[in-house]
Amino acid sequence: MSVIDSDGLLEVRGLRTVFDTRAGRVCAVDGVDVSVRRGECLGVVGESGSGKSVTFASVMGLIKAPGHIDAGDICFDGQNLRQLSVKQMRAIRGRDIAMTMQDALTALNPALTVGEQLAEMMIAHDQSLPRNKRERRRLVEQKSVDILQLVGIPSAKSRLQQYPHEFSGGMRQRIMIAISLASHPRLLIADEPTTALDVTIQAQVLELISDLRAKLGMSVVLITHDLGVVSEHCDRVMVMYAGQVVEEGPTESVIRNPQHPYTRGLLGSIPRISKRGEPIQPIDGQVPDLIDLPAQCRFYSRCQQRSDACLKYIQMTTLSQDRKVRCVLAEETAHD
Amino acid sequence: MSLTRVIERLLQLIPVLLGVSLIVFIMMAFTPGDPVDIMIGDQNVSAEQEAAMRRDLGLDRPIHERYVIFLGNAVQGDFGQSFYHRRPVSEVIVERLPATIELTLVALLIALFTSIPLGVIAAIKKNSWIDRSATVFSLLGVSLPGFWFGILLLMVFAVHFNLLPVSGRISYSNQVEPITHFLLIDTLLRGRLDAFWEALKHILLPAITLGLPMTAILTRVTRTSMLEVLRQDYVTFAEAKGLSRRKVMFRHALKNALIPTVSVAAIETGSLLGGNMIVETVFGWPGLGRLVVESIFVRNYPLVQAAVLFYAVTYVMLNFTADILYTKLNPRVKL
Ligand SMILES: Nc1ncnc2c1ncn2[C@@H]1O[C@H](COP(=O)(O)OP(=O)(O)OP(=O)(O)O)[C@@H](O)[C@H]1O
Ligand SMILES: [Mg+2]
């Protein structure tokens, strides 16, 4: 076990989350460590299916049958969340750790107004609200208006009575962020907050999250496919592949000097980041089937630099204090 | 709901009613058996008397003329005289209606109050023994013939255990002065708890029998839609917000899951009307359904005509109600 970082707000160690499907046991997250420090923004990248959402749904305690957390510790602010009762966990969810869902179009309840969906979040977590119903309603409404204005929804007051379908995609994304922020969480997990949005709105939403992070002093986990977004907004980045973390470190360092062939591949396949003149090369091949994976490098079949040394379980290698990578090539250099 | 939409719906009723009345008219006219023959029975009646009776009932004219006369009168709200009762058909129907409406409503309530909890529990505890029993129940419920199930209930609860009455709405000694004509309400309004209890015992078996297929269908619909809703992101998001399980289940899941249940219930209430004829006959329930069955046997054309038209109007109205409910519950849909 590694030493727990005192700056750490969230420390996940050896998380393993599995889904028992008809075809067999899908090991969606396998031995993942995550640390998020106070006030920082951690970027999480990786291809579709690499286990980003499942990792953080596990943190939230939202894995439903046929899935369950098989192993690992999830420590939030010194508390092991896996040892909490359902009720204790519910109190943390939303209040201390909030999450925005990957798809804002489906994450808001179509049958409830935006105001109702905001209010219930506040009422569930804010004990300081007055008991008197009318006073409470007034105060909650005031707070709702404030937070909608904060995320940039114009004429917020009149829009509280509207239903989600009356808003555009970008607005719904903001509303979801507003709901998540309503009880001032210490950690916001933003699962692809911009994927469904067009470029200008993408930039606005990300700017918004960064602003709020600075203003409210919260930590943010930003899950995304887009390394460009990471380089702009994240202090550190974690690259996931087939249920494992393959590389981790300060954003600058990882992007300038990627160590894992997969990270290099990702960087290569992103036009904005690749150096001028270099051809863009998408990574060939596909993510392996997560059922019954052999104990070898998971990127093996797609790696340009594979060798027989890759056919064993690959440890995470610590390169420098903050920099880790899961690759035999790095193991060699580290041992030299 | 706009006014034009309402008017549109009402206009749609016209061809439906014309079609229905024509079909019933033709079917009644071509079914073997003749009302006058039935009325005469074994009595000795001269040919002139018989012809007079026929003229009296308007049966001496050719069928197309009879249809046109019927339509002309019906437009003015006159559905003719019941051959059998010798009174206006509408009067006879209105008399029988409360019993039928009361039975239908109780059946509807029983269906809603059993199917919704059952469907929800079956969905939440998917693949548990409750879920499996609910599935078997639904299958039986839609496939058992109503009269068979009714007779079975009668044999068990009325005949064998002697717990519940065999037929009728209430015993003669317990009749109360009508106010609303719904016995369950009138007995309460009159403060006659004993009579209320008796009326309740009378209505129980027929209402269960009548409501069974609907209960079965609604259980299925609720289970399916609840399962669908529980998979939705907004339910996960509601959980991510740290809401209580009760809030997640009722406010977020059930509210959406009931949209299909409620509209199917409104439509299925129309088929309860059809079920009424069988159930009322089996349980000797003095409602419209039994009246129609009896009237068919004696070829009481005007009554059958009017009753069928009434069914058609109610059916269309219920569909209309289903649409309205659907919009009310589902803010995404605008009519
Ligand atoms: N309910 C489930 N049943 C079976 N397998 C599941 C389930 N949920 C997730 N998985 C599997 O877990 C793996 C990781 O999924 P996850 O949603 O975490 O990917 P992701 O990295 O978030 O991808 P994306 O970028 O597309 O959101 C996938 O291979 C998926 O098939
Ligand atoms: Mg995801």
Side-chain angles (χ1 to χ4, degrees), chain B residues 26 74 93 100 113 123-124 131 156 172 179 183 215 217 239 289 325:
Chain B
I26 293 172
I93 288 181
T100 290
F113 279 97
I124 292 176
D131 184 23
V156 175
Y172 194 74
I179 303 170
L183 283 185
T215 313
I217 292 169
E239 286 177 325
L325 284 174

Side-chain angles (χ1 to χ4, degrees), chain A residues 53 102 191-192:
Chain A
S53 299
Q102 192 158 349
D191 194 348
E192 310 202 14

Side-chain angles (χ1 to χ4, degrees), chain A residues 288-330:
Chain A
D289 192 355
L290 295 176
I291 300 172
D292 296 327
L293 278 176
Q296 63 173 44
C297 175
R298 297 193 173 175
F299 192 54
Y300 183 77
S301 61
R302 299 168 75 184
C303 187
Q304 308 263 332
Q305 290 158 278
R306 65 177 167 227
S307 69
D308 286 350
C310 308
L311 294 173
K312 56 161 192 185
Y313 179 76
I314 315 288
Q315 298 283 344
M316 196 67 147
T317 310
T318 305
L319 297 176
S320 63
Q321 198 206 345
D322 251 2
R323 207 68 168 78
K324 289 179 192 154
V325 64
R326 196 187 289 276
C327 179
V328 280
L329 297 173

